[in-house]
Amino acid sequence: MQGARHVVCAVSGGVDSAVAALLLRRRGYQVTGVFMKNWDSLDEHGVCTADKDCEDAYRVCQILDIPFHQVSYVKEYWNDVFSDFLNEYEKGRTPNPDIVCNKHIKFSCFFNYAVDNLGADAVATGHYARTSLEDEEVFQQKHIKRPEGLFRNRFEIRNVVKLLQAADSFKDQTFFLSQVSQDALRRTLFPLGGLTKDFVKKIAAENSLHHVLQKKESMGICFVGKRNFENFILQVSGFWCKRMQPRFCSGPGSVSNETFVFQYLQPRPGKFISIEDNKVLGTHKGWFLYTLGQRAKIGGLREPWYVVEKDSARGDVLVAPRTDHPALYRDLLRTGRVHWVAEEPPAALVRDKMMECHFRFRHQMALVPCVLTLNQDGTVWVTAVKAVRALALGQFAVFYKGGECLGSGKILRLGPSAYTLQKGRSTPSMAVEGSGSGRGDSPGRGTTL
C-alpha cells in the first residue's frame, strides 16, 4: 500500500498559508510546514517582525499537528532580490521585488529545499492561483534537474503546465507568479485557487486559527511593509553599503526605524519642473523616489501635481497639474526578454510575429487589451488598444489570454506620451532607455524611441 503523499507547504504566519496547510491535511496528505525567514527587521517598537511571524506559523503547525521547519534565506534574498531592488531604483526604475522573490526564493530556494532535503512529492503555497494539473497529476511529475542553458532538449516530451487565474478574480495572484519556472510549477499545489478570501477566513474561524485570522493583511513591498517608503530609503542616509552582507537583528531596541541597518542610497536633490512651461515648482530629495503617475509632494502648492517624466542626467522630476494629464498616458512599451511560463512563446505569436492578448503592470488593475509584437531577441513590443496611465520603467508587463497567465517581461522602453504626440515633439522621452542593439524598432512608428 502506497504511503500518504508528502506535501511541504510554505507557512508565513498569515491566514492564507494556514488554511492552505489545513486543506492539504484534509485531503489526507502528509503535510510539513516550512517558514522562510527572508528579511531581518525591527518594527517601530523594537520587535523583530520575522520572529513574530515565525511564532504564528509554528502555532499554526501545532494546531494542525504537522511538523514545522524554519529556513533562512536572508543572504539569498539580499543577493537576488534586494540588491536588484536597489539597482533598479538607482536607475530610476520602479521594481517589483515580490515577483522577483517568488522567482528566486519561494519557487527556487524553498522548492529545492522541500524536494531535496525534505523529500517532498509536491510543494504548496497560499497563493490565490491555479494550474492546469489535478493533484494526482502533480504527484506524477518527475523532478529532473536539467542543465543550465538557453535551450531544452528538443527530444524531451513534456506536457506544458498552464498557470491559471484564481476563482477569486480580485485576490488572483498570478501577477506575482508570472516569472515562476515551469519545473517548479509542475510540482506545486495551490489549495486556495478555487476559493474566495471570505471563504478562506470562514474556514480559519471554524478551525481554531483565530490568531492568524486577526492579523492585518500584509500589503506593500514585502520587506518594507507599512513603513513610509521615502523614510525607508532616505532616513538611513548616506550610501549603499558596498559590503552587500545582511546584518541580523539582535534583539529589541538594537535597530530603530530611523537608523535602519544599512545605508542604501545616497540622496540626490533635484527640482520639480512643470512639463508645460518648464517652471521650477520646488525641490525633492531624490528622483529615484518617484514613479510615473504618483502625486508629487511639492511644498507650498495647493493643487496636486503628478510625476510624468524623470530626467536622469539632471536629476529633475517633470510634473503635470492633473491626474488625467495626457503626459501620463502611453500606448506603447517594449519589454526585456520575456519569461514565458510555458518556456516558449505562444505558437500563434511565433507563427505570426503578432498576437492579441491582455496585460497588466500592477496587481489588481483591470486587464488591458493589447497586441504583442515578437522581436528576434525574445523581447516584445506591447501596443495597448487604448492608452494607459502611468506606465513606468522597471515594472513587469504580465500577459494573459483566456484566463491563463502566459508570463511577463520587465518594461525597459516606453513610447511617447499622448502629450508629446499632441505637441508634435520629435525628441525622445527622458524616461526611455534604449536597447543598444539597434534592432526591433517600434512597430509602425519608425524610431521615435
Side-chain angles (χ1 to χ4, degrees):
M1 180 178 176
Q2 188 179 28
R5 301 290 193 179
H6 183 202
V7 180
V8 175
C9 183
V11 287
S12 64
V15 65
D16 292 331
S17 62
V19 172
L22 168 65
L23 295 177
L24 292 169
R25 277 221 66 189
R26 284 185 177 178
R27 294 178 191 177
Y29 303 141
Q30 175 193 341
V31 182
T32 298
V34 174
F35 177 82
M36 285 171 274
K37 187 172 184 178
N38 301 331
W39 183 259
D40 281 302
S41 64
L42 303 178
D43 65 15
E44 284 67 29
H45 303 290
V47 177
C48 188
T49 54
D51 289 345
K52 179 63 170 65
D53 290 336
C54 185
E55 291 174 8
D56 290 336
Y58 176 66
R59 189 174 169 191
V60 166
C61 292
Q62 283 186 312
I63 293 171
L64 300 182
D65 192 25
I66 63 175
F68 172 81
H69 292 258
Q70 178 184 356
V71 289
S72 175
Y73 296 127
V74 173
K75 181 178 180 181
E76 291 85 352
Y77 192 96
W78 181 271
N79 292 332
D80 295 330
V81 182
F82 191 60
S83 295
D84 173 77
F85 171 84
L86 292 178
N87 276 322
E88 290 290 283
Y89 259 96
E90 281 202 311
K91 293 175 182 177
R93 297 176 181 170
T94 304
N96 192 313
D98 294 322
I99 290 179
V100 180
C101 176
N102 280 324
K103 177 178 182 177
H104 292 292
I105 307 300
K106 293 177 184 173
F107 290 89
S108 180
C109 295
F110 164 68
F111 174 79
N112 290 326
Y113 171 79
V115 172
D116 297 336
N117 293 61
L118 300 181
D121 295 309
V123 301
T125 71
H127 287 101
Y128 288 82
R130 296 181 290 182
T131 73
S132 54
L133 295 182
E134 298 293 335
D135 282 16
E136 195 55 38
E137 292 177 297
V138 171
F139 295 127
Q140 292 171 0
Q141 303 300 313
K142 293 182 179 180
H143 180 53
I144 302 175
K145 286 191 174 182
R146 294 185 292 148
E148 295 291 333
L150 291 176
F151 306 102
R152 63 180 177 88
N153 185 342
R154 69 174 64 186
F155 301 108
E156 181 184 5
I157 300 175
R158 299 202 306 171
N159 294 322
V160 170
V161 177
K162 297 179 179 179
L163 177 61
L164 306 176
Q165 291 179 277
D168 188 336
S169 59
F170 181 75
K171 284 298 295 181
D172 173 61
Q173 292 175 309
T174 53
F175 178 87
F176 298 114
L177 302 173
S178 60
Q179 288 272 315
V180 172
S181 72
Q182 178 74 191
D183 284 339
L185 202 60
R186 302 178 75 82
R187 300 285 297 277
T188 301
L189 301 173
F190 296 112
L192 307 188
L195 307 179
T196 64
K197 181 72 175 190
D198 288 341
F199 191 61
V200 168
K201 290 181 177 180
K202 183 174 183 291
I203 294 173
E206 293 173 349
N207 289 273
S208 304
L209 295 171
H210 302 285
H211 72 290
V212 293
L213 186 60
Q214 295 168 355
K215 294 179 70 172
K216 293 182 179 179
E217 187 97 6
S218 59
M219 299 292 286
I221 297 173
C222 46
F223 49 82
V224 178
K226 293 189 175 182
R227 282 188 177 88
N228 177 281
F229 179 72
E230 182 174 335
N231 289 343
F232 175 81
I233 292 293
L234 284 183
Q235 282 185 353
V236 295
S237 71
F239 60 96
W240 175 12
C241 181
K242 303 299 181 183
R243 290 182 296 121
M244 299 295 287
Q245 293 294 326
R247 176 178 171 184
F248 298 90
C249 55
S250 56
S254 61
V255 184
S256 68
N257 188 41
E258 289 73 17
T259 56
F260 196 66
V261 179
F262 284 102
Q263 299 172 333
Y264 298 114
L265 298 179
Q266 184 176 5
R268 297 178 183 175
K271 304 182 186 70
F272 286 117
I273 299 176
S274 169
I275 195 171
E276 294 188 338
D277 57 13
N278 292 322
K279 180 180 178 181
V280 176
L281 302 176
T283 60
H284 60 78
K285 297 178 182 178
W287 66 294
F288 50 78
L289 290 171
Y290 297 91
T291 188
L292 273 61
Q294 95 174 72
R295 181 170 176 174
K297 299 177 181 178
I298 307 176
L301 297 183
R302 289 186 178 180
E303 301 79 11
W305 287 73
Y306 298 88
V307 177
V308 294
E309 289 186 14
K310 297 190 290 186
D311 186 340
S312 59
R314 299 184 179 182
D316 293 333
V317 175
L318 275 68
V319 293
R322 303 191 314 275
T323 186
D324 61 347
H325 194 280
L328 283 167
Y329 289 83
R330 289 176 166 84
D331 63 2
L332 181 66
L333 65 91
R334 182 174 178 171
T335 71
R337 187 177 181 88
V338 175
H339 169 85
W340 300 106
V341 172
E343 297 184 329
E344 295 178 355
L349 183 57
V350 174
R351 181 185 66 244
D352 303 329
K353 305 304 179 187
M354 299 180 72
M355 183 183 77
E356 294 182 354
C357 66
H358 291 76
F359 85 106
R360 60 165 52 110
F361 53 94
R362 288 191 303 270
H363 180 226
Q364 295 181 336
M365 71 173 284
L367 287 171
V368 179
C370 67
V371 175
L372 303 186
T373 303
L374 182 64
N375 299 315
Q376 289 183 349
D377 58 1
T379 65
V380 297
W381 284 104
V382 183
T383 306
V385 172
K386 184 179 180 181
V388 291
R389 183 183 183 277
L391 283 169
L393 297 173
Q395 293 173 318
F396 282 88
V398 182
F399 307 116
Y400 293 85
K401 193 173 181 68
E404 177 185 356
C405 178
L406 301 175
S408 63
K410 185 181 293 185
I411 300 173
L412 297 183
R413 295 183 70 179
L414 297 176
S417 70
Y419 182 72
T420 298
L421 293 174
Q422 289 173 8
K423 298 282 286 187
R425 297 178 184 174
S426 60
T427 55
S429 164
M430 285 180 287
V432 166
E433 293 185 24
S435 64
S437 65
R439 296 181 297 167
D441 290 332
S442 168
R445 308 234 180 149
T447 56
T448 57
L449 295 187

